Amino acid sequence: MRGITIGQYYQADSPLHLLDPRVKLLCTLAYIIILFFADNPYAYGLATIFAFAMVMISTVPVRMILRGMRAVLFLALITVLFNLFLTPGDVLVEFWIFTITRQGAQTAAMMALRLFLLVLASSVMTLTTTPNKLTDALERGMRPLKIFRVPVHEIAMMMSIALRFIPILSEETEKIMNAQMARGAAFDEGNVLKRAKSLIPLLVPLFVSSFRRAGDLALAMEARCYHGGKGRTRLHPLRYATRDVIAYLVFAAFLAGMIVVIRLF
Amino acid sequence: MAEAIVKTENLTYEYIRRDAEGNPEGVTTAVDHLSLDIAPGSFVAVVGRNGSGKSTFARHLNALLVPEESAVWIDGMDTRDSDKHLDIRMAAGMVFQNPDNQIIGQVVEEDVAFGPENMGVPTEEIRLRVDEALELLKLTDKRLDSPNRLSGGQKQRVSIAGVLAMRPRCIILDEPTAMLDPQGRAEVIRTAHRLNREEGITVILITHHMEEAVDADCIYVLDKGKIAMQGTPREVFARVEELKALRLSVPQVTYLAWLLRRRGVALPEAVLTVEELVNALVV
Amino acid sequence: MKLILDHVTHIYDPHTPHARTALRDVSLQIGEGSFIGLIGHTGSGKSTLIQHLNGLLKPTEGSVYADGKDIADAEYNRRALRGRVGLVFQYPEHQLFEADVFKDVCFGPKNLGLTQKETELRAYEALQQVGLEPEVYDQSPFDLSGGQKRRVAIAGVLAMRPEVLILDEPTAGLDPGGSREILSLIASLQKERGMTVILVSHSMEDVAAYADRIIVMNGGGVTMDGTPAEVFAQADALKEIGLSVPAATEVCRRLYAAGIPVRPDVTTAEEACEEICGCFLR
């Protein structure tokens, strides 16, 4: 619990790490969208090559990326099974009540690959961007939503405060748990209902302390002249550099390639 | 004397006590007709037991609380004028008790930048101020660390740096050491004195540890929202029994000297350090 | 009850890059009825040590015995042990959760499986022992003052009738008046109930005033263990590990070094006063 890291950022100095977070956010988004239009093996081939190239450039160890994959393994399995057995078409194999069709096998493979690439792309983004910078990028990226009176600055500030307090609250949870266990509490006994009830001595103090912290923090922010996003300047303002332009160009080339391949086949 | 940096006149703050159902039970006067002047460049300690009104008092100095009838002036600005609140908070920065609950940034230097960012200071200037503040608090090598990895004393120094980057004339430290171990406490008090001495910043230290007030220019002892005692450390520390009655204590060496004096050993009225006592005894 | 630590080593997150050794080969005996002061700067292993005494943490190596039984054994009842070895954490008021003070104090004894009647009886007794007025018993613990909350939290542990009471900095954040009251409360409980008390503290003066045995920790190990006079006689060694001696001890040590015939191993202001008066008022 002590060494907890949020996000799963991997510290390195790769070209991907140095990119402006907006580039990464935008490109990842576009990549995911174009994946949903991909409907032939060639398009998937190109997308896979691009994704692996990014992994190589990021210098993040492959096992760290694979670790993120584990979470969606079950989902991928279900998707594959459904598509494999429930797609009608030319029968490939038949046994007992199951039939596998050629179309089914193809869709299943593409679905699995799509899911895999989707997770891969977002992992590469979160592994190479600190949660901080991601929040900044979101704030800037969502700016157009201000017209619809979406409190963009406040949302970003909330996210960044949440990120700061998650490790503190997780440490606090551990402390309260220990204190209640010292009073004979058990958190791992009995049926579901009993277990849920046993969480009360943990959750009430945690809420109380969160509210106290929130109050303290609000006061501290006010004391440091916080008055919303208006007129705020930044220590690290987001500024595009040449490398960001190059990154956009490279990505645009990839996107064009994808569109050609999707149209062509 | 130069114009007072902090001036209060009959400062009074009352709040309504409520019972469990929310019905008013009575009125508590947290601060009761408090008048004082603090000279620029001085180091002032405000001491008092829990509930003596010292934190409520402190919050008035930063316009976090605003008096209704009485008045508080910070650097000549009346805190009742809400247009001046940002200027007041720039002039008088505030550090709170719990270091975890006042650090906003996820990285040390970003937290230090928070104040200047809110003030709309241009980016290049923020960089300058942050670097300067970190340097002054000897935190330069920690600037890219997560605050969660720092000790309590270091976290409080980050909080002080965050205030310092706003270039205040005065820093109010509201029980900054209450949650720290002895090392952390010494670290924070030493830092406060250094900023006072070398940077000329007025320091108002709120505490219930009398020993932290030993090197102050002036001590105010609060009780029930009123000034119960006031004077130099030597004047205040001589009144051992009165302090005890106010649920405060003096450093052990002061207490020992007081015991000895009462038994008839020839000693000065108040002894503040071990050196002083030993030197007074070994002639 | 008797607690024995036998070559206990504790490593947090072993076999990971974050692995950190918090206790190194600690052997200790804690007998009955003593008042032990546990000192050491932050990170010296005090908190890890005390969590081994009631089985919240298990040694990575070595064993902890309670009345001769290894508490890490699968069949050992660690919950019952937590009733016998009461542990009051730092800022214990942060663990309060019930709607009223009385119910909160009942939580511990109830968890021990006692009858409703016995539970309430113990809760009453504990609340009386910590000196809380009956008016507050049915109040919400969150409406009390800081000092009162802390008493409720201590009562919550006392209600289990522990034979050993461990307190991790019970005076942290209290003003001097509140600190004095809590410490004298603990001292009187120890005397009247014959409990063993282990007081974790940063204040050398407090430890000197109350403890009859002091254990000094540094870098995860026990570096000193003896009476206050024995421990504070090693002032230089203490300073080396970032600790100090009570000011009264320091004064007498310096006077002694200057050739004045006072005992250099006094530990309290009153003792020092007697010694110095003996030399100067003749």
Side-chain angles (χ1 to χ4, degrees):
Chain A
M1 285 287 246
R2 267 160 221 277
I4 199 159
T5 48
I6 302 303
Q8 58 162 356
Y9 176 67
Y10 177 84
Q11 174 72 48
D13 279 326
S14 81
L16 275 195
H17 283 79
L18 295 177
L19 282 186
D20 188 290
R22 285 171 295 177
V23 177
K24 287 182 269 188
L25 192 68
L26 219 66
C27 293
T28 308
L29 219 63
Y31 182 84
I32 289 171
I33 292 169
I34 198 77
L35 265 187
F36 280 93
F37 288 98
D39 57 355
N40 64 60
Y42 303 102
Y44 276 101
L46 185 57
T48 310
I49 291 169
F50 184 77
F52 274 95
M54 288 306 124
V55 171
M56 302 287 279
I57 295 173
S58 76
T59 70
V60 177
V62 177
R63 62 179 167 80
M64 282 200 72
I65 295 173
L66 291 180
R67 205 182 295 160
M69 296 286 166
R70 269 194 313 220
V72 291
L73 209 59
F74 183 67
L75 193 66
L77 204 69
I78 295 208
T79 322
V80 165
L81 288 178
F82 264 83
N83 282 296
L84 200 57
F85 295 120
L86 299 177
T87 317
D90 315 333
V91 174
L92 216 58
V93 196
E94 208 169 1
F95 62 95
W96 193 32
I97 53 164
F98 300 111
T99 39
I100 298 176
T101 62
R102 195 173 54 79
Q103 285 87 344
Q106 207 174 28
T107 327
M110 281 204 286
M111 281 299 219
L113 198 58
R114 183 183 287 171
L115 203 63
F116 173 76
L117 290 177
L118 202 141
V119 176
L120 187 73
S122 29
S123 297
V124 170
M125 178 181 75
T126 51
L127 281 163
T128 59
T129 320
T130 58
N132 242 349
K133 285 197 173 152
L134 218 50
T135 321
D136 278 358
L138 274 175
E139 181 173 359
R140 289 294 288 266
M142 294 193 301
R143 204 177 266 178
L145 293 178
K146 270 191 182 164
I147 319 168
F148 305 110
R149 300 193 170 238
V150 176
V152 172
H153 167 75
E154 285 72 13
I155 291 173
M157 182 57 87
M158 268 160 57
M159 280 176 58
S160 108
I161 289 174
L163 285 169
R164 150 116 181 90
F165 276 87
I166 286 167
I168 294 177
L169 288 177
S170 87
E171 201 175 297
E172 180 136 19
T173 309
E174 201 181 302
K175 272 189 204 158
I176 297 171
M177 234 164 130
N178 276 334
Q180 304 301 27
M181 272 158 72
R183 293 208 282 165
F187 294 102
D188 50 2
E189 275 175 19
N191 56 26
V192 180
L193 195 71
K194 205 170 168 199
R195 278 190 197 204
K197 232 183 128 183
S198 74
L199 286 180
I200 294 172
L202 173 63
L203 292 179
V204 173
L206 202 58
F207 274 120
V208 171
S209 115
S210 304
F211 279 111
R212 191 184 47 235
R213 285 184 193 281
D216 283 3
L217 190 70
L219 212 59
M221 286 171 73
E222 207 183 329
R224 281 164 77 185
C225 293
Y226 181 72
H227 54 286
K230 211 172 142 231
R232 261 196 117 216
T233 47
R234 300 305 305 265
L235 170 65
H236 298 298
L238 291 177
R239 273 187 204 135
Y240 282 125
T242 323
R243 58 169 171 263
D244 300 309
V245 177
I246 296 171
Y248 273 134
L249 288 175
V250 169
F251 188 77
F254 160 73
L255 217 54
M258 280 297 279
I259 292 167
V260 168
V261 172
I262 290 169
R263 278 284 165 90
L264 226 56
F265 298 93
Chain B
M1 190 178 105
E3 201 198 341
I5 180 128
V6 170
K7 182 178 169 67
T8 73
E9 213 170 75
N10 283 321
L11 178 62
T12 302
Y13 182 81
E14 293 173 332
Y15 63 91
I16 298 166
R17 274 195 324 274
R18 290 179 191 279
D19 62 12
E21 279 82 47
N23 303 314
E25 271 183 339
V27 173
T28 299
T29 308
V31 180
D32 194 359
H33 296 88
L34 199 74
S35 299
L36 51 77
D37 278 6
I38 292 172
S42 57
F43 192 115
V44 173
V46 177
V47 194
R49 56 181 283 188
N50 289 346
S52 59
K54 57 190 192 301
S55 278
T56 310
F57 166 70
R59 275 169 203 184
H60 280 95
L61 306 187
N62 198 252
L64 291 172
L65 287 176
V66 177
E68 274 170 21
E69 284 157 30
S70 40
V72 176
W73 289 273
I74 304 298
D75 205 5
M77 294 175 277
D78 190 332
T79 65
R80 285 171 298 186
D81 181 355
S82 58
D83 292 340
K84 286 270 185 332
H85 282 184
L86 287 185
D87 291 320
I88 287 168
R89 288 175 192 149
M90 285 180 219
M94 181 123 162
V95 175
F96 298 85
Q97 187 185 103
N98 189 334
D100 278 331
N101 296 359
Q102 59 185 314
I103 295 179
I104 294 115
Q106 295 170 64
V107 175
V108 167
E109 66 169 20
E110 284 177 18
D111 184 71
V112 176
F114 184 75
E117 285 180 343
N118 291 330
M119 289 156 60
V121 174
T123 297
E124 294 71 31
E125 162 115 25
I126 298 181
R127 181 81 260 169
L128 268 165
R129 288 184 178 206
V130 168
D131 288 348
E132 193 186 274
L134 289 172
E135 188 68 42
L136 267 170
L137 285 146
K138 304 194 166 77
L139 284 165
T140 306
D141 57 328
K142 302 271 181 235
R143 71 188 183 93
L144 294 176
D145 283 7
S146 156
N148 294 332
R149 294 187 196 280
L150 305 181
S151 73
Q154 288 171 332
K155 282 184 202 168
Q156 277 308 48
R157 279 193 287 148
V158 172
S159 305
I160 298 174
V163 166
L164 212 60
M166 295 164 68
R167 301 246 167 101
R169 292 192 63 200
C170 170
I171 295 184
I172 302 140
L173 301 152
D174 187 6
E175 298 198 49
T177 61
M179 304 189 76
L180 304 184
D181 62 9
Q183 276 86 2
R185 272 161 62 175
E187 207 175 303
V188 168
I189 299 301
R190 230 183 5 249
T191 303
H193 276 290
R194 197 158 48 81
L195 293 180
N196 173 250
R197 209 171 43 239
E198 292 169 13
E199 307 297 314
I201 295 171
T202 313
V203 174
I204 301 175
L205 172 70
I206 319 270
T207 179
H208 55 229
H209 294 296
M210 289 294 288
E211 54 271 35
E212 292 175 357
V214 164
D215 294 319
D217 298 323
C218 172
I219 300 178
Y220 291 95
V221 180
L222 292 197
D223 188 54
K224 297 187 185 112
K226 290 192 176 85
I227 297 174
M229 285 183 213
Q230 135 181 28
T232 63
R234 225 165 273 284
E235 288 161 7
V236 171
F237 279 50
R239 298 155 76 174
V240 173
E241 272 173 318
E242 284 168 77
L243 285 170
K244 201 170 168 184
L246 296 172
R247 293 172 66 87
L248 295 170
S249 66
V250 292
Q252 193 179 39
V253 66
T254 309
Y255 177 63
L256 172 58
W258 177 79
L259 283 178
L260 290 169
R261 213 172 113 88
R262 228 175 34 160
R263 290 277 292 269
V265 178
L267 282 172
E269 223 190 327
V271 171
L272 302 183
T273 65
V274 170
E275 283 75 27
E276 267 178 45
L277 179 56
V278 173
N279 291 341
L281 289 171
V282 184
V283 230
Chain C
M1 90 184 292
K2 209 168 172 175
L3 291 163
I4 294 176
L5 275 82
D6 185 26
H7 297 285
V8 171
T9 293
H10 189 87
I11 304 173
Y12 285 106
D13 305 319
H15 319 299
T16 69
H18 307 293
R20 192 170 59 83
T21 307
L23 284 184
R24 269 173 231 278
D25 195 29
V26 172
S27 294
L28 272 181
Q29 286 203 28
I30 289 155
E32 276 161 27
S34 45
F35 195 127
I36 300 172
L38 183 59
I39 60 178
H41 56 75
T42 309
S44 60
K46 295 171 304 196
S47 301
T48 310
L49 177 74
I50 58 177
Q51 290 183 58
H52 276 82
L53 297 176
N54 72 347
L56 275 177
L57 288 177
K58 282 185 190 166
T60 313
E61 277 165 49
S63 311
V64 179
Y65 299 97
D67 284 339
K69 296 201 179 67
D70 188 337
I71 67 167
D73 276 348
E75 61 268 29
Y76 190 86
N77 186 347
R78 274 179 293 280
R79 201 199 274 205
L81 174 72
R82 284 172 201 155
R84 297 176 68 197
V85 181
L87 175 50
V88 179
F89 279 93
Q90 230 182 82
Y91 300 103
E93 58 276 20
H94 292 177
Q95 76 195 19
L96 302 175
F97 70 99
E98 276 287 10
D100 66 57
V101 165
F102 188 72
K103 271 194 203 141
D104 205 289
V105 177
C106 286
F107 183 67
K110 207 169 77 189
N111 284 330
L112 295 179
L114 300 172
T115 61
Q116 180 74 16
K117 202 178 156 198
E118 178 68 15
T119 297
E120 292 184 357
L121 199 77
R122 288 191 180 194
Y124 267 119
E125 186 194 78
L127 281 165
Q128 269 167 4
Q129 277 169 348
V130 299
L132 280 169
E133 304 296 321
E135 295 93 271
V136 306
Y137 292 6
D138 60 355
Q139 278 182 28
S140 162
F142 303 110
D143 289 343
L144 306 181
S145 74
Q148 282 176 316
K149 276 188 204 166
R150 186 144 316 169
R151 280 162 194 264
V152 174
I154 293 174
V157 171
L158 280 177
M160 300 195 293
R161 291 215 188 127
E163 295 156 55
V164 179
L165 181 65
I166 308 169
L167 304 112
D168 190 356
E169 286 191 67
T171 61
L174 297 181
D175 61 25
S179 300
R180 278 195 293 265
E181 285 167 11
I182 292 285
L183 286 173
S184 60
L185 169 75
I186 294 164
S188 69
L189 282 171
Q190 192 261 338
K191 275 200 200 78
E192 284 161 24
R193 298 190 48 179
M195 266 191 304
T196 303
V197 166
I198 301 178
L199 174 73
V200 178
S201 177
H202 279 304
S203 162
M204 302 301 147
E205 279 86 6
D206 289 348
V207 170
Y210 293 101
D212 44 48
R213 173 181 171 193
I214 294 179
I215 297 171
V216 184
M217 295 201 62
N218 185 44
V222 170
T223 54
M224 292 178 207
D225 185 352
T227 63
E230 284 165 4
V231 167
F232 291 132
Q234 306 177 57
D236 295 327
L238 282 169
K239 276 175 205 160
E240 222 157 87
I241 57 173
L243 299 172
S244 57
V245 296
T249 312
E250 189 60 29
V251 169
C252 287
R253 274 170 49 84
R254 295 212 194 164
L255 290 175
Y256 180 79
I260 293 164
V262 291
R263 255 175 47 223
D265 65 346
V266 303
T267 58
T268 64
E270 284 73 17
E271 267 184 287
C273 176
E274 289 311 316
E275 279 296 309
I276 297 169
C277 287
C279 292
F280 286 86
L281 299 175
R282 229 177 292 155

